[in-house]
Amino acid sequence: VYWGPNADEFDPEHFIDSDTYRWPRDAFLGFSTGHRNCIGQKFAVVEGVCILSKLIRKYEILIPADLKNRSFEEQKTYLL
């Protein structure tokens, strides 16, 4: 339905937007949904939170000294 007659073939262009085609974002779900979803999805989310909390506990996250007196928007633009 979403990908047309060649839905069973490997075609990376299914995921490339063009002027005349925008691939349906709800047609591909990495972890999937429903009763066939990824059995490791919850584990991956919990593991990610654990790793992030260990990093935050171990390191002190500071902004560079030359950015301290700038506005939040300038800091965000520079850091991101």
Side-chain angles (χ1 to χ4, degrees):
V1 174
Y2 285 109
W3 307 116
N6 64 342
D8 293 334
E9 297 174 17
F10 176 73
D11 185 6
E13 292 184 6
H14 284 156
F15 302 100
I16 298 175
D17 290 334
S18 68
D19 293 338
T20 58
Y21 174 76
R22 186 174 191 283
W23 68 276
R25 299 302 196 251
D26 58 339
F28 175 77
L29 301 171
F31 278 119
S32 192
T33 59
H35 63 280
R36 291 196 174 109
N37 69 341
C38 176
I39 61 173
Q41 178 180 5
K42 289 182 183 178
F43 175 75
V45 171
V46 171
E47 187 177 28
V49 170
C50 289
I51 290 171
L52 198 57
S53 66
K54 279 187 155 276
L55 286 172
I56 289 172
R57 228 182 288 148
K58 185 173 183 174
Y59 297 99
E60 186 176 1
I61 301 170
L62 302 171
I63 61 169
D66 60 326
L67 290 179
K68 286 187 178 181
N69 296 330
R70 296 189 183 186
S71 70
F72 176 74
E73 288 301 319
E74 287 178 314
Q75 292 176 3
K76 188 171 84 171
T77 302
Y78 180 80
L79 295 172
L80 298 179

